[in-house]
Amino acid sequence: MNTIARRHFLSQLSLASAAVATSGFGFARSGKPDEFIEVEIAPGKIKGVRSDGVNIFKGVPYGGKTSGDRRFRRPAPLQPWTGVRDATQFGAPAIQSPRRNEPAPSEDCLFLNVWTPANDNKKRPVMFYSHGGGFVVGSGASPGQDGANLARNFDVVVVQTNHRLGLLGFLYLDEIAGADYEGSGNMGILDIADGLKWVNENIAQFGGDPNNVMIFGESGGGAKTSCLYAMPATAPYFNKASIESGPGVRMTTKETAAETTAMLLKELNIAPKDWRKLLDVPAADLLVMQAKLPFVAPFIEKNNNRVGMQRNAGGFGPVVDGKVLPHHPFDPTAPEISRNKPLLVGWNEDEYTFFAWERKDTETFKLDFDGLKKKLEPKYGADTDKMIETYRKARPDASAPDIFVAISSISMMGLGSVDIAEKKSKQNQAPVYLYNFGYKSEKKIPGTDYALGTPHAMDISFKFNNEIAPRDGSQPKESFFGGNKPERFVASHHFAELWTTFARTGKPAAKDVPEWPAYNLKDRATMRIDTKCEVINNRFGEELAMWRSIGEV
């Protein structure tokens, strides 16, 4: 695929995820608290609430100051407190545009949230989620990923963090700022590592097992999980992982990160030797400057030979600095450091419809096959005819818009997911399981008669079991993406049960779902998750053979 074209898709990850992160998703929050719950952790006592059978602790600090003299550095030590600290309200998210129903964004954003059935010393599996939003927006308080239903219905503990994002989380200063700023290009991902360390030290007080921790994340959170899977700093603190619609095969190189830093300094009229002036620029001004830089997603492309290849400067995300992130997460191989940790990886069947919705793209859904070729040629060049021929043969009943959605969706999230599954399988150690989420929403893309199907980000509310009939018997509300059909509750239960069973045992399984074989290079088993789940061997085999033939897998 043309590199710039694919970057354009990937660059929508952060902007589009922002729309989801602030949308509210339209499911019911927990009711009034039944009682307050106190628990003592290392820095002091905190007070959460018990609501509808779940103990909920919000805005729990897991790190100290990251503003002032700690900007671009490791956090200050977390200071103990006296008395009982309130943990009934969400903590501040990282610097970004204001978020609905959350505190004002702040540089000091190291807070986490915990949902648990009980603080009873029972050793439940822990599900540690990294939010989406690329590496520039989002928080652990996004309503679609509320952890109460997972905790209540599947007896697990759910943890989610806020962490530094964007320029304040990933500005690479290692080469100009000295030893105190070593790892500066990875502060945001090191914050998540600190959250995992907090879990290791404190989660037993919340009924969780510190020796049975699953990390998972969607979109940008999937890319974060890819990095965590490859980092020495996190290796002692988790046992299994899931990368969802965000295959972080490659991250930013030091050279590209240094170029981005130089661009920023030039825009601010700061000489490299005067880099300390960055410490005095108000965070709001840095956010404005971040938006002025060329926005590209922090992924490095596989195919460097296509026309129009250019360096990927301008975006902010984890940096392959040789220390914090020793190498690309899944290039050239799956990380040796996690060879014994089971992995889930996959994507949604109609990822692109989300981006069409977000960008108000209606023209795509008027295409005929001549128009399809014209639309694809600038991106795929001489490979266009072969691509269309392959997809029309594999999907004889597909319309031109159907084929565009299929090509765009697999190129954005599917090829990297398959690449990860293949490389993990080649280790012949812990298993890897490949999936496609396929429940179809009937909701239409505004301005068209084309259904969303299974768009990017729709999996969030499903896997958190937040597509569920109201317990009071009232009429269900329409789901933000999932629509109105009651069968969505079945698909959500399947998804959530598969994920929580994987968290518990390292093997995904659920009632009324076929046994899910590990992926291997012979059968290439893929679980399609829907109201009725099925295992499909070598799914998209013809299409993937074509992608391989043009060097994209």
Side-chain angles (χ1 to χ4, degrees):
M1 181 178 184
N2 179 285
T3 300
I4 294 176
R6 185 164 181 231
R7 281 194 192 136
H8 176 67
F9 285 134
L10 291 169
S11 72
Q12 300 302 310
L13 225 57
S14 298
L15 299 177
S17 296
V20 170
T22 57
S23 66
F25 267 92
F27 73 90
R29 287 278 198 177
S30 299
K32 293 182 179 179
D34 301 322
E35 59 181 311
F36 291 108
I37 302 293
E38 289 187 9
V39 61
E40 186 157 6
I41 55 177
K45 288 185 178 180
I46 58 173
K47 178 181 70 176
V49 297
R50 182 163 184 82
S51 180
D52 297 332
V54 179
N55 294 352
I56 304 169
F57 301 85
K58 301 175 180 177
V60 180
Y62 68 91
K65 185 178 76 165
T66 50
S67 61
D69 63 348
R70 290 286 173 165
R71 181 183 280 182
F72 310 125
R73 295 175 59 198
R74 301 297 292 125
L78 180 60
Q79 296 301 310
W81 56 83
T82 57
V84 181
R85 183 184 177 110
D86 184 83
T88 64
Q89 303 295 322
F90 289 120
I95 292 292
Q96 58 193 285
S97 297
R99 298 175 58 79
R100 183 185 301 176
N101 298 323
E102 294 187 40
S106 171
E107 280 198 69
D108 295 316
C109 62
L110 302 190
F111 302 99
L112 56 78
N113 311 310
V114 182
W115 294 261
T116 180
N119 293 68
D120 57 4
N121 296 314
K122 184 178 177 181
K123 291 188 175 182
R124 296 175 177 85
V126 180
M127 301 182 71
F128 183 99
Y129 187 74
S130 292
H131 66 74
F135 291 97
V136 296
V137 297
S139 86
S142 296
Q145 64 200 39
D146 184 287
N149 284 336
L150 273 188
R152 177 187 303 108
N153 299 333
F154 298 96
D155 199 34
V156 298
V157 179
V158 180
V159 181
Q160 301 178 22
T161 67
N162 292 351
H163 40 268
R164 281 175 283 182
L165 298 169
L167 187 159
L168 288 163
F170 300 100
L171 181 65
Y172 181 67
L173 296 171
D174 290 40
E175 296 174 11
I176 61 174
D180 285 349
Y181 292 83
E182 184 176 282
S184 56
N186 287 303
M187 287 297 112
I189 206 80
L190 282 170
D191 291 344
I192 304 176
D194 286 346
L196 279 166
K197 184 179 180 182
W198 183 97
V199 165
N200 183 263
E201 295 173 349
N202 295 284
I203 208 64
Q205 300 298 105
F206 297 82
D209 183 355
N211 296 312
N212 190 14
V213 177
M214 169 186 171
I215 58 172
F216 68 130
E218 182 272 346
S219 191
K224 293 167 190 173
T225 303
S226 299
C227 293
L228 297 171
Y229 199 72
M231 286 170 54
T234 59
Y237 303 131
F238 74 94
N239 313 89
K240 54 192 76 73
S242 176
I243 298 166
E244 303 143 12
S245 294
V249 177
R250 301 165 195 85
M251 291 293 142
T252 305
T253 64
K254 289 190 293 184
E255 294 77 15
T256 299
E259 186 177 336
T260 299
T261 301
M263 290 170 60
L264 174 71
L265 292 172
K266 184 176 180 181
E267 285 289 332
L268 290 169
N269 198 28
I270 296 174
K273 65 181 177 62
D274 297 325
W275 65 269
R276 283 190 175 276
K277 291 181 179 179
L278 286 170
L279 305 180
D280 299 322
V281 179
D285 292 348
L286 290 178
L287 185 63
V288 170
M289 190 58 60
Q290 176 179 302
K292 288 183 178 180
L293 294 179
F295 184 86
V296 290
F299 299 90
I300 302 299
E301 302 304 319
K302 175 183 176 64
N303 193 333
N304 293 340
N305 299 315
R306 290 196 178 275
V307 175
M309 178 64 185
Q310 60 186 28
R311 294 187 69 185
N312 195 22
F316 292 99
V319 179
V320 183
D321 60 5
K323 295 179 182 178
V324 176
L325 191 57
H327 45 72
H328 293 296
F330 286 91
D331 186 41
T333 62
E336 181 68 20
I337 199 170
S338 289
R339 66 184 295 114
N340 294 319
K341 297 179 179 182
L343 181 66
L344 279 169
V345 62
W347 75 100
N348 299 352
E349 289 178 353
D350 307 302
E351 299 273 0
Y352 178 77
T353 60
F354 176 103
F355 298 89
W357 163 78
E358 189 272 335
R359 294 202 300 262
K360 298 180 173 60
D361 171 16
T362 58
E363 293 304 308
T364 289
F365 306 100
K366 302 174 184 177
L367 290 173
D368 58 17
F369 283 100
D370 287 339
L372 175 65
K373 180 177 179 179
K374 291 177 183 176
K375 189 172 179 68
L376 293 176
E377 275 183 328
K379 305 172 184 178
Y380 299 100
D383 294 318
T384 301
D385 287 339
K386 180 178 184 179
M387 187 170 291
I388 294 174
E389 179 184 355
T390 299
Y391 272 80
R392 293 196 73 173
K393 181 180 178 182
R395 307 166 189 228
D397 297 327
S399 65
D402 291 341
I403 288 179
F404 184 81
V405 168
I407 288 171
S408 301
S409 298
I410 200 170
S411 68
M412 294 165 69
M413 303 297 173
L415 300 182
S417 299
V418 170
D419 190 18
I420 286 173
E422 290 181 350
K423 287 171 177 173
K424 178 65 178 174
S425 174
K426 287 176 182 177
Q427 287 184 323
N428 291 314
Q429 293 291 319
V432 57
Y433 300 91
L434 183 66
Y435 77 90
N436 298 136
F437 180 44
Y439 175 82
K440 300 303 178 190
S441 171
E442 78 282 9
K443 292 188 73 169
K444 300 293 194 293
I445 297 170
T448 79
D449 291 324
Y450 199 91
L452 279 167
T454 317
H456 185 68
M458 193 175 89
D459 56 309
I460 299 173
S461 60
F462 278 74
K463 66 173 164 264
F464 277 94
N465 202 210
N466 288 329
E467 302 289 346
I468 192 169
R471 293 190 300 281
D472 61 6
S474 62
Q475 186 70 20
K477 294 182 180 180
E478 182 180 55
S479 168
F480 186 79
F481 280 143
N484 264 321
K485 296 184 293 184
E487 51 262 43
R488 73 186 190 274
F489 306 145
V490 177
S492 179
H493 193 279
H494 287 333
F495 209 150
E497 187 175 0
L498 287 166
W499 258 234
T500 53
T501 304
F502 179 73
R504 183 168 276 107
T505 69
K507 179 176 173 59
K511 184 180 178 182
D512 300 324
V513 171
E515 182 177 356
W516 187 346
Y519 187 88
N520 62 61
L521 297 180
K522 178 184 176 184
D523 300 320
R524 302 181 185 273
T526 304
M527 177 65 80
R528 184 179 185 274
I529 301 170
D530 200 338
T531 51
K532 181 180 180 181
C533 299
E534 60 178 324
V535 175
I536 305 172
N537 286 342
N538 196 26
R539 191 165 196 216
F540 306 126
E542 294 176 60
E543 296 96 317
L544 286 168
M546 180 276 299
W547 287 107
R548 290 187 182 97
S549 74
I550 62 174
E552 294 290 342
V553 184

